[in-house]
Amino acid sequence: MRSSSVRRVFIGLLATNAGVVAAKLLIGIASGSLAILGSALDSSVDALNNVLALIVVRVAAREPDEDHPYGHGKFETLGALGIVGFLAITCFELVRSAVNRLIESPGASQVTVTDVQLATLIATLGVNVLIAWYEHRRGVELGSELLMADATHTRADVILTAGVLVGVLVARQGWWWIDPAIAIVVTLVIASVAYRILVRTVPVLVDQRAVPTHDIQATAQAVPGVKSAYGIRSRGPSDLRYAEVTIAVDRRADVAAAHSIADAVEERLKSDLRLHEVTVHIEPC
């Protein structure tokens, strides 16, 4: 159900982003504006991300199997990391083009944007604002790392488009160097977005601790019959966290009583710490 909802969101986003890319690309080519072409390239990354997401979400929704006992959820996080790769390519291309434009003669960098083209750019800005708001809201509702990562990129696209609009207005006054300069600023913003996504996804991929150890220990030891809790591990994204803990129980407790305590620990950890799955090992002491 969750994966189907996420896929429906991405299908709608793909159609909308494709329209934004087409509009920016046509205006960029017609006007000769490097900044607008850079913005179109950035928006095309959004569309490519949507295609990637549709593939990744389908894979991530598969049930656990023999080769993937913890499920396929990390494929979604890996897809979010793939966004960083697309952004890196965008940054490289924009910097290269901007530097080449700056060393050209001023006459070769003429930018001419008509009022109709300017109005179209403003319209794409409004569309990007709505996309960013909707995508982030749905990402939070569905607990999707991929949707939230893509929403972060879309918010950056809003800033980029606004900057491009300012650059276009100034460039129309004859300041030829503004266009490539704005393109370089665009690159810096994209690099910042890529870094934020990287910081959020890498800890999940390398199985960084998902829940503070003392929180799991305190919660487990609060269950009657648990003498101590240790050997604690946790992993996973915020919406799909796993934990493993060993509890020490009275050695005189029979098997049924010990398992009852373990079940209570499992339920307490799931409810109090919002864990998806908990493995409890029992040791007599």
Side-chain angles (χ1 to χ4, degrees), residues 26 81 91-92 132 149 152 155 158 196 212-213 217 225 227 267:
L26 290 174
L81 187 62
C91 289
F92 173 78
T152 301
R155 284 197 296 270
V158 171
R196 289 199 298 272
T213 300
Q217 184 178 47
K227 292 182 175 294
E267 290 304 315

Side-chain angles (χ1 to χ4, degrees), residues 52-253:
L52 174 65
L54 288 170
I55 298 171
V56 169
V57 170
R58 181 176 292 276
V59 175
R62 294 176 182 171
E63 293 297 322
D65 54 35
E66 186 176 349
D67 293 328
H68 304 88
Y70 288 100
H72 299 75
K74 275 193 178 181
F75 282 98
E76 185 171 335
T77 306
L78 188 62
L81 187 62
I83 292 176
V84 176
F86 285 128
L87 293 179
I89 295 172
T90 303
C91 289
F92 173 78
E93 289 298 326
L94 282 179
V95 168
R96 183 176 62 83
S97 299
V99 171
N100 288 338
R101 178 68 63 86
L102 285 172
I103 63 178
E104 290 176 352
S105 61
S109 303
Q110 187 89 26
V111 174
T112 54
V113 180
T114 66
D115 291 340
V116 173
Q117 291 170 340
L118 189 60
T120 304
L121 281 177
I122 294 174
T124 63
L125 176 62
V127 170
N128 282 334
V129 170
L130 290 175
I131 289 175
W133 170 79
Y134 176 72
E135 191 173 15
H136 179 73
R137 182 173 68 85
R138 293 295 286 160
V140 171
E141 290 175 355
L142 298 171
S144 171
E145 289 285 338
L146 198 53
L147 272 174
M148 288 187 283
D150 199 50
T152 301
H153 182 207
T154 305
R155 284 197 296 270
D157 200 24
V158 171
I159 299 173
L160 298 182
T161 304
V164 167
L165 281 169
V166 173
V168 166
L169 291 173
V170 175
R172 292 174 82 182
Q173 307 305 314
W175 293 19
W176 66 272
W177 53 270
I178 287 293
D179 189 65
I182 289 292
I184 292 176
V185 173
V186 165
T187 302
L188 295 176
V189 175
I190 294 175
S192 174
V193 170
Y195 175 75
R196 289 199 298 272
I197 295 175
L198 198 66
V199 167
R200 187 167 63 243
T201 56
V202 168
V204 176
L205 291 174
V206 300
D207 286 335
Q208 180 174 301
R209 182 189 64 192
V211 182
T213 300
H214 61 81
D215 287 354
I216 296 177
Q217 184 178 47
T219 302
Q221 291 180 170
V223 175
V226 177
K227 292 182 175 294
S228 63
Y230 51 93
I232 298 168
R233 299 175 183 174
S234 62
R235 59 181 285 274
S238 59
D239 62 313
L240 202 65
R241 298 186 296 185
Y242 296 86
E244 182 179 341
V245 58
T246 299
I247 59 171
V249 300
D250 193 324
R251 68 177 61 191
R252 291 169 295 183

